[in-house]
Amino acid sequence: MAGEISEGSVPAYYREVHEAIRCRTDERVQVEVFQRLLQRTDLSKVVLNQIAEHVDSTDGFLSKLSLYKALALIALAQQGKQPSPKLLENCILELPKPQLGEPRDLSTLRMQPAQDDVLTLSQTLDGLLAKDTVQVELIPEKKGLFLKHVEYQVTSQRYKISVYRRYSDFDVFHEVLLQRFAYRVVPALPPKRMLKGVLTSLSEREFIEGRRRGLGRFINLVARHPFFSEDELVKTFLTFSGSDVQSRLRDTCKKMGDEFMINRIATQAKEYLPADIQAQFSTSREMIRNIHNSFQRLRDRAEKMVERSKDNASDLLMFGKELSTLGSDASPLPSLASSQSTWGTLRQSLKSLSVEFAVLSDKAAQQGRREEDDVVEKLNLFLDLLQSYRDLCERHEKGVLHEHQKALHKYSVMKRQMMSATVQPKEQASVEQLESRIVQQENAIQTMELRNYFSLFCLHQETQLIFTYLPITSHILGSFVNSQVQGHREMGEVWSELQPKLGCLFSGNNGLKHSV
């Protein structure tokens, strides 16, 4: 290297600049970061290009010594000299100091590859869905004569194990998950009991089945979350088969603390956030709110289709039963009709048709179940996630942001009190007490600021999670179309088999071809 700059000959300022802008993982400096550094020099583009020409880089990085050489060339250029390696030879013993400001302020230029990895979720929907599939099945039990409770068998495909859980276990799990991941999307649980006066049209059996489905959606969203899925709390809930899972969950949460306390980048979250984070957040939030509203309307329509399929099944069954009732009438025909009427023969044929209509009814019921399991359930899963995102946005605004603003207000009141205390003489003890409280409040505000930025950081990631889940739309549409194709094909086959059987009901040319 021309000029032969060595580690020992560089001023402390050079080392401080290097420390501020180097990669966090090694001593190199990203070329993009170096380019940003050059922009701070106020030198002309021509001069900056000359400096860049004389600085070596490999694979998009500068070595430490390359940066030192660049800093010396910047200093020479700022003195009005032509930056060249030859010029460096004259000042090798005393390298000039470039004018770049305080080294600690330069750390904002840093953009090491790990930054994108930290903030950006490199997940796909298929990757998330492949993390785990958890089945939640009902196991009703009776205790004594009157008390009845429901237990669930929870089976994780990932851990290849089944455990037994009560609703209260889910409740405690949800509670500790919220404590640990306050800044993440934690889906809500379905209600424990039927709400009086609201769900009167719902039978208890339907309510319990709806709650089972809701618990299944909750645990699957949690087990597939990029951060929850690897957490000890989730593993404990899905695998612990001891007698008291609730105590184990609470103990685990207590030992580990919340995410802010243990996340290695929590206190540097501000560094990783884009400058326009608030604007990005507002735009995304509005878009997700509109998506949420549209998916609610889609789910409502899908539920109506399920109801229609169930009604169709019921109607077809009743239609067949009425035909059977008609055919089973054994009362003798009056003499007036018996000579020319074929009703006696027809009546016998009608009796057998109830079997075909029972099959048609069964096919329509299957169609309803497919629509419910494959379409409505997938829509509800995504809606649960979207709702938990809206809940998270509210927690951010009413929680950490609100607390931060309250703390700032309290601090300004204290400062005013301090100012009046210095103007009007007061007891030394009370002034010292106030000073101590101000220091405590400053520390509290600093922590809240860090939490606020970490909350925004998590929101940014959780927003990405919603967009990662959006392609589930194609899964839902695929399920919807497949369900309709299968349903219509199966129903069509039964109707086609039924058609020739009606031949015996018509004399002469087939009455099926005539419209009445």
Side-chain angles (χ1 to χ4, degrees):
M1 178 176 172
E4 294 302 320
I5 292 176
S6 66
E7 178 76 31
S9 66
V10 299
Y13 183 79
Y14 280 42
R15 293 195 190 90
E16 288 167 12
V17 170
H18 170 258
E19 191 58 34
I21 67 170
R22 74 178 179 88
C23 293
R24 286 188 177 84
T25 49
D26 57 49
E27 290 193 332
R28 298 176 305 166
V29 174
Q30 257 196 305
V31 167
E32 290 97 322
V33 178
F34 175 61
Q35 295 289 350
R36 291 180 183 186
L37 184 74
L38 290 177
Q39 301 307 315
R40 290 176 67 108
T41 59
D42 296 327
L43 296 169
S44 69
K45 276 190 179 178
V46 175
V47 174
L48 292 179
N49 288 337
Q50 287 172 347
I51 293 170
E53 276 173 27
H54 297 311
V55 177
D56 301 324
S57 65
T58 313
D59 299 328
F61 293 93
L62 276 72
S63 68
K64 188 199 286 190
L65 292 179
S66 286
L67 175 72
Y68 290 162
K69 178 183 177 183
L71 293 177
L73 291 173
I74 289 168
L76 290 169
Q78 286 176 331
Q79 291 171 12
K81 296 170 185 171
Q82 185 77 11
S84 74
K86 201 162 191 180
L87 198 60
L88 275 182
E89 292 170 14
N90 302 327
C91 53
I92 199 71
L93 295 174
E94 193 179 340
L95 292 169
K97 182 182 174 182
Q99 302 303 308
L100 296 167
E102 287 294 316
R104 66 170 176 270
D105 296 336
L106 299 177
S107 61
T108 55
L109 303 175
R110 183 161 44 190
M111 190 186 69
Q112 85 283 16
Q115 178 165 341
D116 286 341
D117 296 340
V118 167
L119 186 61
T120 306
L121 291 182
S122 54
Q123 300 278 344
T124 62
L125 177 61
D126 289 343
L128 290 175
L129 296 178
K131 280 182 181 290
D132 201 354
T133 297
V134 186
Q135 299 290 337
V136 178
E137 300 299 337
L138 275 171
I139 307 172
E141 288 184 9
K142 285 187 180 176
K143 296 274 182 179
L145 291 172
F146 305 104
L147 184 64
K148 182 182 177 185
H149 75 262
V150 176
E151 202 169 20
Y152 303 93
Q153 183 179 34
V154 178
T155 308
S156 161
Q157 212 173 70
R158 177 183 181 181
Y159 294 110
K160 307 281 188 293
I161 191 170
S162 290
V163 290
Y164 297 93
R165 298 287 180 254
R166 302 269 294 276
Y167 181 90
S168 57
D169 299 329
F170 277 93
D171 202 20
V172 170
F173 177 51
H174 181 261
E175 177 196 315
V176 293
L177 207 56
L178 260 178
Q179 285 170 18
R180 180 152 166 70
F181 295 103
Y183 311 129
R184 302 281 179 193
V185 289
V186 178
L189 288 178
K192 184 179 182 179
R193 293 186 184 85
M194 287 172 68
L195 305 173
K196 285 181 182 174
V198 177
L199 299 172
T200 46
S201 61
L202 208 60
S203 71
E204 189 185 0
R205 181 177 289 179
E206 285 174 319
F207 171 76
I208 288 172
E209 170 57 14
R211 189 176 64 185
R212 181 195 69 79
R213 286 174 180 268
L215 291 172
R217 294 194 300 270
F218 162 78
I219 194 62
N220 275 289
L221 285 170
V222 167
R224 292 164 179 170
H225 190 283
F227 300 103
F228 303 165
S229 59
E230 304 308 316
D231 195 76
E232 196 59 36
L233 278 177
V234 177
K235 188 178 179 183
T236 300
F237 186 80
L238 291 174
T239 62
F240 181 71
S241 54
S243 57
D244 193 357
V245 69
Q246 296 182 17
S247 296
R248 174 62 73 97
L249 287 166
R250 288 199 166 103
D251 291 345
T252 305
C253 185
K254 216 175 281 179
K255 279 178 199 162
M256 296 190 321
D258 80 332
E259 191 186 7
F260 176 79
M261 302 301 289
I262 59 150
N263 192 306
R264 63 186 177 81
I265 60 97
T267 53
Q268 287 122 34
K270 184 181 179 181
E271 267 187 56
Y272 297 98
L273 293 172
D276 61 342
I277 181 67
Q278 292 290 1
Q280 280 191 36
F281 170 50
S282 298
T283 307
S284 301
R285 187 180 183 180
E286 183 61 22
M287 185 186 289
I288 290 168
R289 190 181 68 82
N290 293 334
I291 288 168
H292 190 187
N293 291 339
S294 289
F295 268 86
Q296 276 182 320
R297 289 192 287 271
L298 286 171
R299 190 269 320 274
D300 292 347
R301 291 292 152 194
E303 282 182 336
K304 282 193 167 77
M305 290 179 205
V306 171
E307 285 306 311
R308 281 202 292 274
S309 292
K310 288 178 179 176
D311 288 345
N312 192 25
S314 175
D315 291 341
L316 284 164
L317 190 64
M318 292 310 296
F319 195 92
K321 280 182 178 174
E322 286 303 329
L323 288 176
S324 181
T325 303
L326 204 56
S328 300
D329 183 4
S331 47
L333 287 171
S335 55
L336 190 71
S338 58
S339 60
Q340 49 182 316
S341 175
T342 57
W343 179 240
T345 324
L346 280 172
R347 203 160 59 177
Q348 289 301 312
S349 302
L350 288 175
K351 204 170 169 182
S352 66
L353 291 179
S354 65
V355 177
E356 271 76 17
F357 277 93
V359 173
L360 283 167
S361 170
D362 188 46
K363 295 295 181 192
Q366 285 176 23
Q367 170 73 0
R369 284 194 293 275
R370 270 195 303 271
E371 288 166 347
E372 192 163 32
D373 294 342
D374 299 344
V375 183
V376 174
E377 201 53 24
K378 283 191 176 91
L379 282 163
N380 276 328
L381 178 89
F382 189 44
L383 280 170
D384 286 355
L385 183 69
L386 290 168
Q387 182 58 53
S388 62
Y389 178 80
R390 289 176 82 158
D391 295 343
L392 174 63
C393 293
E394 279 193 29
R395 278 205 308 278
H396 171 72
E397 287 180 341
K398 292 180 180 174
V400 67
L401 195 60
H402 179 64
E403 289 300 315
H404 184 218
Q405 286 163 350
K406 258 172 55 179
L408 286 172
H409 175 69
K410 188 176 173 184
Y411 179 67
S412 66
V413 170
M414 284 179 175
K415 291 294 274 184
R416 282 200 297 272
Q417 287 173 345
M418 192 68 190
M419 284 172 71
S420 65
T422 53
V423 174
Q424 299 168 1
K426 289 197 176 183
E427 287 182 25
Q428 186 64 27
S430 65
V431 172
E432 284 175 3
Q433 201 176 17
L434 190 57
E435 280 177 346
S436 169
R437 280 171 57 213
I438 286 173
V439 170
Q440 284 177 352
Q441 192 64 8
E442 281 172 348
N443 291 336
I445 287 169
Q446 192 178 13
T447 304
M448 282 178 195
E449 273 178 1
L450 291 173
R451 278 190 175 270
N452 188 32
Y453 282 119
F454 185 59
S455 178
L456 272 171
F457 175 90
C458 294
L459 254 177
H460 194 75
Q461 290 187 323
E462 299 305 284
T463 304
Q464 292 171 62
L465 180 65
I466 301 297
F467 286 108
T468 304
Y469 258 99
L470 261 177
I472 204 169
T473 311
S474 59
H475 291 227
I476 294 164
L477 282 173
S479 298
F480 178 57
V481 172
N482 290 341
S483 151
Q484 297 304 315
V485 168
Q486 188 178 345
H488 284 88
R489 187 182 65 241
E490 289 179 359
M491 293 283 279
E493 284 169 2
V494 182
W495 284 117
S496 297
E497 286 169 16
L498 179 61
Q499 196 173 23
K501 291 179 184 177
L502 299 182
C504 61
L505 299 178
F506 303 92
S507 55
N509 59 0
N510 198 332
L512 287 170
K513 293 177 183 171
H514 297 289
S515 56
V516 177

